Amino acid sequence: MAPETAAHAQGGDRVRGESLELTAEEARRFLVRRHFLAPPRSLPARAESVLRVVRELGSVQFDPLEVTGARNDDLVLAARIRNYRRGWMERWLYGAERKLFEAYNKSLNILPVEELPVHRVDWEQWARRDGVYHRLLHKHADLAAAILERLDREGALPGNAFVERSGPRLLWGWGSLTVPRAVLYALFRTGQIGIARRLGNVRVYDRMERLFPAALLERRLPDEEVRRHQLLSRFRGVGLLGLHAGAEIWSGTVPARERNRLTEAMVADGTLRRVRVEGVRDDRFMLASDARFLRGGALRRREVALLAPLDPLVWDRELLRQLFDFDYVWEVYVPAKARKHGYYVLPLLWGDRLVGRIEPRIDRKASVLRVPAPRLEHRMRRTERLELEEALGRALEALRRFSGAGRIERA
């Protein structure tokens, strides 16, 4: 028996053929441990904990909305790091020692800087490919050259320094963009400029050569290694990911047939383990290096985490339904009349169960965090309800401190 398989067997986990078998409870405990949520807010209160979270999860998704008093990336980090401060993350993103960077992975993500060569391959392909960014930059070559020349001459500049309020607009994503803004976006997506810092939600751009070491920018990786790494970033993010997960999880990676081939190759070489989970229909895969999170019995204490809408733990909606009996849709883009739960609703993780959802909202003018009653989805004894309420109070107090609100107002 291989050493890793032997360790699993000694720990009480079952191995059948090439698959590791887990009960639903074991799988939930594995996931919350692996996501640093057992218990929440238990990583040390220091900037280095941000690096640990980003490197272990592979990425943290950025979204500018601050309905709760915190952005999505803040909520992800604050759920795991005690007394988290945004300045800790910004130190590694925008400080003199850049150890994180922003790029499109599954979406706009905060990523470890050592992964920049992986994304360099895609940037160069976007620049060459006969696609939207290539055509846009070719059509507006004079404007793109003027933007790059100005950055070379003046240094880092906010995006709005290049944007005209009037003029032609291009259909883009959820709406439309002015031509200069679209060209800026294309330069960013092709790796010619990067985000030097932010002024609120305004990106400040600079040439990549001034942001990152030349050796890092010049490093080239074989295509197979790049595609393999892209897939691993998704397995790393979810923790127990199946090949039939939603298309949005695999966005930016390889087509399904190539995904299957690379996944089986990583199982064969020991990078991934195939896992069968009680109550989950399809095979799942975990990083073999995550075996340490399988150890241990019941969680020592149950605390509440307010999960971000784009937290890696909730990426795989089908896994949430099958393993946690929790149906979650982020309804921020759903028309108000069609929403079932609310605009910016956060899942409530208590121990290793998703027990409900809540929608805190910041009122900065009044310096109040307004919190309606949680919507709980599991019946529980009175003693459990009291225990949950106390844990929820601690989670909301942590959010209040981060948001800077003076008080919490519970409905």
Side-chain angles (χ1 to χ4, degrees):
M1 183 179 289
E4 181 185 312
T5 304
H8 289 162
Q10 291 168 9
D13 301 318
R14 292 156 299 287
V15 179
R16 180 174 294 176
E18 295 299 318
S19 297
L20 174 67
E21 294 195 347
L22 298 177
T23 67
E25 186 176 36
E26 288 169 338
R28 288 194 300 269
R29 289 173 180 171
F30 163 76
L31 283 173
V32 296
R33 287 189 175 108
R34 193 233 171 266
H35 279 265
F36 302 110
L37 294 167
R41 303 178 299 282
S42 58
L43 291 180
R46 57 176 182 250
E48 288 74 16
S49 292
V50 172
L51 295 178
R52 184 178 179 189
V53 172
V54 177
R55 286 168 175 163
E56 288 281 356
L57 299 183
S59 65
V60 171
Q61 204 158 332
F62 180 90
D63 186 85
L65 294 177
E66 295 196 44
V67 177
T68 66
R71 297 186 310 226
N72 183 82
D73 52 301
D74 296 323
L75 289 168
V76 170
L77 294 165
R80 294 158 170 86
I81 301 170
R82 187 173 68 254
N83 296 326
Y84 165 73
R85 304 171 191 172
R86 186 179 290 176
W88 294 344
M89 181 267 293
E90 292 179 340
R91 166 184 170 182
W92 305 120
L93 267 176
Y94 311 133
E97 188 181 12
R98 292 178 184 267
K99 294 191 176 183
L100 302 174
F101 74 111
E102 294 178 72
Y104 280 86
N105 185 26
K106 174 177 171 287
S107 58
L108 184 58
N109 281 262
I110 297 166
L111 301 154
V113 74
E114 55 267 23
E115 296 184 8
L116 191 147
V118 173
H119 296 271
R120 191 54 149 175
V121 172
D122 276 347
W123 294 337
E124 292 175 349
Q125 287 183 350
W126 278 118
R128 292 193 304 266
R129 190 180 300 161
D130 185 24
V132 60
Y133 305 123
H134 174 87
R135 292 194 299 270
L136 181 67
L137 292 174
H138 179 75
K139 182 176 181 179
H140 301 284
D142 290 346
L143 176 58
I147 289 172
L148 295 176
E149 190 277 332
R150 188 174 172 193
L151 288 172
D152 285 338
R153 185 178 69 252
E154 300 180 36
L157 290 168
N160 54 21
F162 305 97
V163 174
E164 302 168 355
R165 293 190 177 274
S166 59
R169 300 181 71 87
L170 304 174
L171 291 178
W172 200 276
W174 297 99
S176 63
L177 292 179
T178 63
V179 172
R181 188 177 293 276
V183 170
L184 274 173
Y185 186 80
L187 290 170
F188 176 63
R189 288 301 305 264
T190 56
Q192 298 180 65
I193 61 176
I195 300 175
R197 61 185 184 277
R198 289 178 181 269
L199 299 173
N201 282 326
V202 176
R203 300 179 185 183
V204 176
Y205 291 106
D206 203 350
R207 294 300 298 264
M208 294 290 280
E209 293 77 9
R210 281 206 289 262
L211 299 179
F212 303 103
L216 190 65
L217 292 173
E218 292 167 4
R219 187 180 174 208
R220 295 296 183 269
L221 298 175
D223 186 69
E224 180 91 352
E225 183 177 341
V226 169
R227 303 309 168 202
R228 175 184 167 112
H229 183 90
Q230 289 174 331
L231 286 184
L232 276 176
S233 74
R234 306 307 196 268
F235 290 113
R236 180 177 292 114
V238 175
L240 279 175
L241 182 60
L243 291 174
H244 301 296
E248 71 280 358
I249 293 178
W250 302 113
S251 175
T253 64
V254 296
R257 181 177 297 180
E258 185 72 356
R259 185 160 70 237
N260 295 345
R261 181 189 71 80
L262 287 170
T263 299
E264 291 299 334
M266 288 188 282
V267 171
D269 69 20
T271 301
L272 294 176
R273 288 293 311 272
R274 191 187 313 274
V275 184
R276 292 291 300 163
V277 179
E278 174 191 21
V280 176
R281 286 191 295 272
D282 57 331
D283 285 356
R284 297 277 153 170
F285 299 87
M286 59 173 274
L287 273 67
S289 58
D290 282 345
R292 65 193 187 277
F293 298 113
L294 290 166
R295 304 186 185 101
L299 302 182
R300 285 177 290 181
R301 78 175 192 270
R302 291 191 293 183
E303 289 289 341
V304 164
L306 307 174
L307 295 182
L310 302 172
D311 192 292
L313 183 62
V314 302
W315 280 0
D316 190 343
R317 307 295 202 242
E318 189 58 34
L319 183 63
L320 295 189
R321 282 189 283 269
Q322 295 183 43
L323 185 59
F324 290 89
D325 189 25
F326 191 79
D327 191 6
Y328 181 63
V329 176
W330 191 34
E331 297 181 304
V332 70
Y333 297 116
V334 175
K337 291 182 178 179
R339 289 180 194 136
K340 183 178 179 182
H341 297 288
Y343 176 71
Y344 203 92
V345 171
L346 310 181
L348 286 178
L349 179 73
W350 186 37
D352 63 355
R353 303 301 300 267
L354 288 166
V355 296
R357 54 198 90 210
I358 197 166
E359 192 175 14
R361 284 176 174 260
I362 189 74
D363 183 339
R364 293 202 182 278
K365 186 175 181 180
S367 190
V368 173
L369 184 65
R370 303 191 190 281
V371 184
R375 294 187 287 279
L376 302 181
E377 301 183 9
H378 295 274
R379 298 179 66 179
M380 44 183 89
R381 298 186 302 272
R382 182 175 180 276
T383 53
E384 284 186 311
R385 182 66 181 263
L386 291 173
E387 182 186 348
L388 171 62
E389 182 61 30
E390 290 178 0
L392 175 59
R394 290 189 286 272
L396 289 171
E397 174 59 20
L399 178 59
R400 182 203 66 77
R401 289 197 304 269
F402 176 84
S403 71
R407 60 188 174 88
I408 298 172
E409 187 177 280
R410 299 284 295 269

